[in-house]
Amino acid sequence: MADLEHLSARVEACFQRILDEKMVGIPILNRELGVQAEGFHLWEGRPLGIIITPWLMSLMLFPEDTDEWDQGLLGSRQSFSLPARDYAFTLNEFDELGRCYTHSLYSPMFDFTDQGSALAMAKVVLTQIHQPVELSQPSDEERRIDAYMRQQAMFDPEPEPPPKPSKLSENERLSRRELLFGALRADGDGK
Amino acid sequence: MSDHNTLGEILRERGVSRRGFLKFCTATASMMALPPTMTMAVAEALEKAPRPSVIWLSFQECTGCTESLTRSHAPTIESLIFDHVSLDYHHTLQAASGDAAEAAREEAMHAHHGKYLLVVDGSIPLGDPGFSTIAGISNLDMLKETAEGAAAIIAVGTCAAFGGLPHAAPNPTGAVSVSDIIKDKPIVNVSGCPPIPSVITGVLAHFLTFGGLPELDQYGRPMVFFGQSIHDRCYRRPFYDKGLFAETFDDEGARKGWCLYRLGCKGPMTYNACATMKWNQGTSWPIESGHGCLGCSEPDFWDAGGFYKALSIPTSDLAGAIGTGLGVGAAVGIAAGAMAHKKKTDAEHEREPLTVEQLEGES
């Protein structure tokens, strides 16, 4: 824990120095924002967190002891499988921090009006990346395409969506019909 | 070539391996955000697809788009797809001229009414029809007439997609884009000056497979190619992150490959696939050759304030709409809803751009 807090402080100090020394007069800075490290935690033994600065918001992944990241080409990409999906990270290097992998979330940062909105987004991302995406049923659109490819000629100019292949239960069909006919309206007659 | 040849037959004739073809189909499936299990279905559909009729109209343009496409490296699936379409009218490439050329266009329009693909490059002048005519027909009339029976329209290049260079201030011809005129047809914008050939091929393959167009961004561009900024995919990105910028084109930073933002690179505001697809057989791309991105795939890039001036605003005036396609306010608002999280994650997943290797099915 103490290590992660220490790392978080080092990350902030590093980007604060970059802001003070290297970013003078750069028009891409969002002056409403400051440097802030958020949510550094261990993921499969490696410290992972987010850095917010006036010019970027990125995921940062640091090596564990057994990692040898010194040989790779700076700027090369590697995919890491987080629970949500695979994320392509870029091999990066900072004077004070050594080598790490970064994944750009936002840059430039003009979408954010203040530090609070940037921080809120960082927290959303930190939650998202650890949420496994359910391999749920294909969407209606996917089922429609599937049916289309199996049953109809390619160049029907107005391909009528064929009946969905059965995954909807009778109840769901009814509820959709009911919805279309306004069954959910409280007064039952529109306005 | 017979009209009855299918793509499958043609690919086999040209010695394209089954494996290479399936890999191409996997990329096409991923373009539709379909699960990998549907690759076979895609392959089946693509193999059986008849040759679609394509009518290609060139309006106020420089022929750079056609140059780009005809320079696509052969022999690849890319070029085979172009062999595979029945290019019934293209006034630069067709053999016929004069009355015979126009007759070919009209014949294709009638024979394939409702089914042909219309490809347009160049912008349309509204100022005076006389600024640009073909066979005495104004661009506006020809576009309307030809679009009427088209199944879909592909606006190739920034001129057709957004007005482009002719549209730049003071826009002497009153140039507009295809989508400014045609409102009742599916239009996909493949912007770029010129656009990347593989992107056109990808859109064509998609149409051959599904009879429809891929998922588009807010500018009508295919998400799979235009979903991420140049900046987020740039190999020079680590230098930007730590504030190392080249100040001139021959200083130490330029030699060391530092970020070109201060020299006017529009990578942070530009959405295109150059960083992953690259150009000339995947050899290189503008930033790799030492020059900043001009932002040529964005609306109004020509008027964005100078190619060599570091900008603080997006090249178009649609700040905030770029990027995630999801406003920050909205995204933070959904922090409470797990379903919404999943949706955004899916959307991000779909935006992972294809690489040239994936699309060509090599290696």
Side-chain angles (χ1 to χ4, degrees), chain A residues 18 22-24 26-28 55-56 77 85 92-93 104 106-107 110-111 121 124 142 145 148-149 154-155, chain B residues 32-33 207-210 231-233 237-238 240-243 261-262 312 320 324 328 331 335 348 352:
Chain A
I18 293 170
K22 300 289 184 185
M23 289 292 183
V24 180
I26 294 286
I28 207 167
W55 65 100
L56 61 81
R77 302 178 74 78
R85 63 171 174 89
N92 216 323
E93 187 176 54
S104 173
Y106 290 91
S107 180
F110 297 117
D111 283 356
M121 179 53 87
V124 169
E142 283 166 5
I145 291 162
Y148 172 68
M149 290 201 304
M154 284 304 297
F155 289 99
Chain B
M32 267 304 275
F207 186 82
L208 288 168
T209 310
F210 299 110
H231 184 56
D232 277 350
R233 289 268 151 180
R237 179 57 190 270
Y240 168 89
D241 289 356
K242 51 183 165 268
Y261 172 75
R262 282 199 142 161
S312 58
T324 59
V328 167
E348 279 182 350
E352 282 290 322

Side-chain angles (χ1 to χ4, degrees), chain B residues 69-200:
Chain B
L69 295 168
T70 53
R71 294 291 186 277
S72 70
H73 37 288
T76 62
I77 290 179
E78 193 165 30
S79 61
L80 293 175
I81 295 243
F82 276 108
D83 285 349
H84 181 61
V85 301
S86 173
L87 191 55
D88 290 332
Y89 181 86
H90 184 307
H91 67 220
T92 310
L93 299 179
Q94 70 193 141
S97 62
D99 290 344
E102 292 313 303
R105 182 174 65 89
E106 282 172 20
E107 194 188 315
M109 281 168 56
H110 290 121
H112 308 287
H113 192 267
K115 297 176 184 175
Y116 60 84
L117 266 179
L118 173 59
V119 179
V120 179
D121 66 334
S123 63
I124 301 94
L126 295 185
D128 177 339
F131 283 135
S132 177
T133 64
I134 298 163
I137 305 168
S138 75
N139 289 172
L140 181 63
D141 288 346
M142 187 175 278
L143 174 63
K144 283 182 171 169
E145 182 185 312
T146 316
E148 194 270 320
I153 302 174
I154 305 179
V156 167
T158 302
C159 294
F162 306 129
L165 181 53
H167 177 80
N171 191 1
T173 65
V176 297
S177 69
V178 172
S179 56
D180 285 334
I181 294 169
I182 306 297
K183 303 291 184 188
D184 58 350
K185 293 284 173 182
I187 299 175
V188 55
N189 286 329
V190 179
S191 62
C193 191
I196 301 175
S198 311
V199 177
I200 309 269

Side-chain angles (χ1 to χ4, degrees), chain A residues 15 17-18 22-29 54-58 74-77 84-88 90-95 102-108 110-113 117-118 120-121 124-125 127-128 131 133-134 136 138 141-142 145-146 148-150 154-157 159, chain B residues 32-35 38 41-42 45 48-50 52 114-115 207-211 228-229 231-235 237-245 261-262 268-269 310-314 319-324 326-328 331-332 334-335 338 340-342 344-346 348-349 352:
Chain A
F15 280 92
R17 176 195 57 80
I18 293 170
K22 300 289 184 185
M23 289 292 183
V24 180
I26 294 286
I28 207 167
L29 299 181
W55 65 100
L56 61 81
M57 185 194 301
S58 293
L74 276 185
S76 64
R77 302 178 74 78
R85 63 171 174 89
D86 293 347
Y87 281 77
T90 303
L91 185 57
N92 216 323
E93 187 176 54
F94 297 89
D95 289 349
T102 53
H103 173 88
S104 173
L105 297 167
Y106 290 91
S107 180
F110 297 117
D111 283 356
F112 298 98
T113 50
S117 61
M121 179 53 87
V124 169
V125 171
T127 311
Q128 267 185 19
Q131 273 182 352
V133 175
E134 291 171 41
S136 56
E141 176 72 357
E142 283 166 5
I145 291 162
D146 189 31
Y148 172 68
M149 290 201 304
R150 286 170 203 282
M154 284 304 297
F155 289 99
D156 190 345
Chain B
M32 267 304 275
L34 296 174
M38 287 196 57
V42 171
K48 287 182 191 156
K115 297 176 184 175
F207 186 82
L208 288 168
T209 310
F210 299 110
Q228 264 190 332
S229 71
H231 184 56
D232 277 350
R233 289 268 151 180
C234 182
Y235 74 104
R237 179 57 190 270
F239 296 109
Y240 168 89
D241 289 356
K242 51 183 165 268
L244 296 177
F245 300 99
Y261 172 75
R262 282 199 142 161
M269 303 83 174
L311 289 191
S312 58
I313 50 160
I322 58 163
T324 59
L326 193 67
V328 167
V332 172
I334 63 175
H341 288 179
K342 186 183 163 302
K344 176 149 188 291
T345 310
D346 285 352
E348 279 182 350
H349 188 74
E352 282 290 322

Side-chain angles (χ1 to χ4, degrees), chain A residues 23-39:
Chain A
M23 289 292 183
V24 180
I26 294 286
I28 207 167
L29 299 181
N30 180 344
R31 292 290 177 184
E32 302 301 317
L33 304 179
V35 171
Q36 187 172 7
E38 171 62 23

